[in-house]
């Protein structure tokens, strides 16, 4: 009894082997369309294995070849089905089974039944596919068995056999066929959903990167636009005109660097590490933001120690971070206000503060600040702040935010001082 159960379980394992490798079959289909070759190989092996190790129950011998043949034909198509039929007939001949001609005559008509179902199979629903697999198996089993028994003159055995056992085996194998199709279709549906999710994620990434590039490039272009408008004034001195022109060129160069960074996102270029004098950088950032601040009725104040405040880092990226933060602070003061830049040295570190007198933020908003795609602005993407936080972190610095609703927000950036002992 134990051996019989073991043989049955082994046959079930063999029959369901294609289910195990079905994800790989689908992957092969996506890559080069050779899934039919894989299906042919897998189900040919299944047919040979089930015929080699049949199950013996109550003195009757049977195998699950009809299950493998029906499923392989339905999912493989006409040519795969034809090959699988040839495998069954050739391997049965190799095994030396009797009445080979009678078996061929009784077996081949079932091919026509399978072809009829194969043509319609792909367009059916899940339930219809399960029913089709059961009908195909039943046709193969009943037509071939009845015709074969008639040809060898043993038709009476079908009548005198154990009715419950005989049809119980057929019902069990029908159930296996239906379950097989259900599992395969579930795999297929899950794979399609996974593809849809991956495709959606890719589109989201493209959209987010596009939004990020737009946000980052807009800042320098806004500055350039403001200074070009200032250069159009008739009473502008030559020195101021040259100074504005210099800032425009530097901002355009910064925009070019930003675009280059995103174009080489998969393989970032090494940062250009240099000594940065914070007084000069704050002067530069304040000048860049002046035209935008004036438009928003915001006054910019600078409070910087006279001593040199030197740090190491990428100058262009630090400017990008400070301009992003400064621009956000200006936009947080729709009714006007004061934007303050301060820089001083504390315990071997340079502390840069950017403070505003704007609308402020709640504790919940501060906790989410700097996370991807969160913004306190109606049309904001949150990417500017996220990029700024990332730049400071790469410079081995830290950034803290203090805010109070209706009173303003202060960003405190702490970076190691170069000449710290």
């Amino acid at each position: 009894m134990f051996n019989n159960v073991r043989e049955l379980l082994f046959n079930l394992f063999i029959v369901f082997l294609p289910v195990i490798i079905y994800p790989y079959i689908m992957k092969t289909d996506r890559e080069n369309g050779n899934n039919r070759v894989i299906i042919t190989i897998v189900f040919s092996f299944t047919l040979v294995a089930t015929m080699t190790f049949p199950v013996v129950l109550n003195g009757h011998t049977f195998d699950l070849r009809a299950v493998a043949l029906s499923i392989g034909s339905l999912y493989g198509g006409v040519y795969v089905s034809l090959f699988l039929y040839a495998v069954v007939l050739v391997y049965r001949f190799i095994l030396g089974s009797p009445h080979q001609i009678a078996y061929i005559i009784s077996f081949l008509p079932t091919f026509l039944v399978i072809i009829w179902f194969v043509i319609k199979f792909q367009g059916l629903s899940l339930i219809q596919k399960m029913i089709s697999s059961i009908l195909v198996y039943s046709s193969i089993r009943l037509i071939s068995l009845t015709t074969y028994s008639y040809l060898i003159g043993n038709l009476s055995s079908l009548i005198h056999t154990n009715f419950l056992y005989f049809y119980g085996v057929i019902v069990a194998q029908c159930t296996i066929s239906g379950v097989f199709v259900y599992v395969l279709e579930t795999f297929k549906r899950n794979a399609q959903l996974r593809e849809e999710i991956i495709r959606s994620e890719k589109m989201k990434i493209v959209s987010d990167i596009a939004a990020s590039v737009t946000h980052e490039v807009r800042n320098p272009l806004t500055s350039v636009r403001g200074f070009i408008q200032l250069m159009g004034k008739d009473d502008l001195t030559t020195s101021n005109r040259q100074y504005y022109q210099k800032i425009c060129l530097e901002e355009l160069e910064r925009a070019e660097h930003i675009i280059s960074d995103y174009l080489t996102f998969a393989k970032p270029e090494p940062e250009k590490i240099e000594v940065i004098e914070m007084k000069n950088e704050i002067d530069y950032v304040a000048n860049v933001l002046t035209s935008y601040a004036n438009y928003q009725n915001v006054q910019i104040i600078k409070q910087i120690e006279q001593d040199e405040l030197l740090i190491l880092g990428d100058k262009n990226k630090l400017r990008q971070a400070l301009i992003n933060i400064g621009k956000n602070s200006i936009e947080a003061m729709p009714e006007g206000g004061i934007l303050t830049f301060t820089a001083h040295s504390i315990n071997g570190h340079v502390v840069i503060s950017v403070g505003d007198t704007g609308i402020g933020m709640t504790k919940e908003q501060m906790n989410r600040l700097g996370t991807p795609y969160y913004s306190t602005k109606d049309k904001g993407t949150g990417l500017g702040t996220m990029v700024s936080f990332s730049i400071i972190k790469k410079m081995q610095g830290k950034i803290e935010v203090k805010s109070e609703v209706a009173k303003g927000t202060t960003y405190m950036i702490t970076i190691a001082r170069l000449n710290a002992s």
Side-chain angles (χ1 to χ4, degrees):
M1 180 65 181
F2 175 76
N3 290 334
N4 294 339
V5 173
R6 184 175 60 184
E7 290 172 354
L8 178 60
L9 292 176
F10 181 68
N11 265 254
L12 288 174
F13 171 77
I14 293 172
V15 168
F16 279 94
L17 181 62
V19 174
I20 300 174
I21 65 173
Y22 190 69
Y24 175 76
I25 295 176
M26 294 195 65
K27 182 180 179 181
T28 304
D29 182 34
R30 292 195 303 270
E31 291 179 350
N32 49 32
N34 289 334
N35 69 317
R36 294 186 187 277
V37 176
I38 303 297
I39 291 175
T40 302
I41 295 173
V42 171
F43 279 95
S44 295
F45 169 79
T46 303
L47 285 171
V48 171
T50 53
M51 293 171 68
T52 304
F53 304 100
V55 180
V56 179
L57 288 177
N58 297 329
H60 297 274
T61 302
F62 70 93
D63 56 54
L64 302 179
R65 78 182 74 171
V67 176
L69 180 61
S70 60
I71 301 299
S73 298
L74 290 173
Y75 281 92
V78 176
Y79 294 108
V80 174
S81 177
L82 185 61
F83 187 88
L84 294 179
Y85 266 80
V87 169
V88 172
L89 296 176
V90 171
Y91 193 64
R92 191 176 186 278
F93 177 79
I94 294 173
L95 291 176
S97 301
H99 309 295
Q100 186 71 13
I101 300 300
Y103 185 78
I104 293 174
I105 295 173
S106 64
F107 191 57
L108 288 182
T110 61
F111 179 72
L112 300 176
V113 177
I114 282 185
I115 296 306
W116 189 85
F117 279 98
V118 166
I119 295 173
K120 300 178 176 295
F121 186 74
Q122 296 302 325
L124 301 178
S125 65
L126 173 60
I127 299 299
Q128 290 172 333
K129 286 182 177 180
M130 293 174 64
I131 295 174
S132 296
S133 68
I134 293 172
L135 292 176
V136 168
Y137 165 77
S138 302
S139 301
I140 294 174
R141 184 70 171 169
L142 295 176
I143 292 174
S144 61
L145 185 59
T146 303
T147 306
Y148 179 74
S149 299
Y150 173 78
L151 291 175
I152 65 173
N154 196 27
L155 188 60
S156 59
S157 63
L158 297 180
I159 302 173
H160 296 96
T161 190
N162 187 323
F163 181 86
L164 183 62
Y165 166 80
F166 179 74
Y167 288 100
V169 169
I170 292 179
V171 170
Q173 294 193 40
C174 286
T175 303
I176 293 173
S177 296
V179 171
F180 199 116
V181 169
Y182 176 81
V183 174
L184 283 185
E185 288 299 314
T186 300
F187 271 119
K188 188 175 181 179
R189 185 170 61 254
N190 289 341
Q192 291 172 344
L193 290 174
R194 186 162 54 249
E195 285 294 322
E196 288 294 329
I197 292 172
I198 292 173
R199 192 178 298 110
S200 298
E201 287 296 323
K202 287 181 179 178
M203 291 301 297
K204 184 177 184 298
I205 290 171
V206 171
S207 176
D208 291 340
I209 291 176
S212 178
V213 173
T214 302
H215 179 89
E216 295 299 328
V217 172
R218 184 184 289 120
N219 287 344
L221 293 184
T222 301
S223 301
V224 170
R225 179 181 179 182
F227 281 106
I228 289 177
Q229 290 174 340
L230 291 175
M231 290 170 63
K233 292 184 177 180
D234 296 332
D235 58 346
L236 190 65
T237 64
T238 302
S239 60
N240 283 341
R241 188 183 303 275
Q242 292 175 345
Y243 178 69
Y244 293 161
Q245 183 181 13
K246 178 184 176 184
I247 291 181
C248 286
L249 292 174
E250 289 179 349
E251 285 300 286
L252 288 174
E253 184 178 356
R254 187 166 71 88
E256 182 181 358
H257 283 307
I258 292 171
I259 294 173
S260 298
D261 286 343
Y262 280 99
L263 290 177
T264 57
F265 189 79
K267 188 179 180 181
E269 296 180 359
E271 294 183 344
K272 183 181 178 182
I273 304 301
E274 56 187 312
V275 177
I276 302 174
E277 212 293 304
M278 284 311 306
K279 183 178 185 302
N280 295 336
E281 295 310 304
I282 290 178
D283 287 340
Y284 177 87
V285 171
N287 288 330
V288 168
L289 293 173
T290 296
S291 61
Y292 190 61
N294 291 338
Y295 179 78
Q296 297 286 108
N297 195 28
V298 172
Q299 179 184 0
I300 298 179
I301 298 177
K302 297 176 291 183
Q303 299 174 351
I304 307 171
E305 287 184 357
Q306 295 302 313
D307 296 336
E308 286 188 335
L309 299 175
L310 304 178
I311 62 173
L312 279 177
D314 189 318
K315 181 186 296 185
N316 289 323
K317 291 186 177 180
L318 179 61
R319 287 178 177 179
Q320 179 183 350
L322 292 176
I323 290 173
N324 280 341
I325 293 173
K327 185 171 180 291
N328 287 339
S329 295
I330 292 172
E331 292 173 349
M333 296 180 283
E335 305 298 327
I338 299 174
L339 174 63
T340 305
F341 288 94
T342 65
H344 54 277
S345 177
I346 298 179
N347 298 327
H349 290 79
V350 175
V351 179
I352 306 108
S353 298
V354 182
D356 64 64
T357 57
I359 58 177
M361 292 181 288
T362 64
K363 186 176 181 180
E364 180 183 357
Q365 289 174 322
M366 284 192 293
N367 290 335
R368 296 185 62 187
L369 199 63
T371 57
Y373 317 118
Y374 173 76
S375 175
T376 57
K377 296 178 288 187
D378 293 338
K379 297 183 179 180
T381 63
L383 292 167
T385 305
M386 182 187 70
V387 169
S388 300
F389 278 46
S390 177
I391 289 172
I392 301 303
K393 184 177 180 181
K394 287 182 179 179
M395 294 180 63
Q396 307 301 318
K398 65 177 182 178
I399 183 167
E400 299 178 66
V401 182
K402 296 181 180 179
S403 185
E404 192 172 344
V405 176
K407 291 188 177 181
T409 302
T410 300
Y411 296 83
M412 298 181 63
I413 302 168
T414 304
I415 303 174
R417 188 173 179 178
L418 181 59
N419 58 349
S421 57

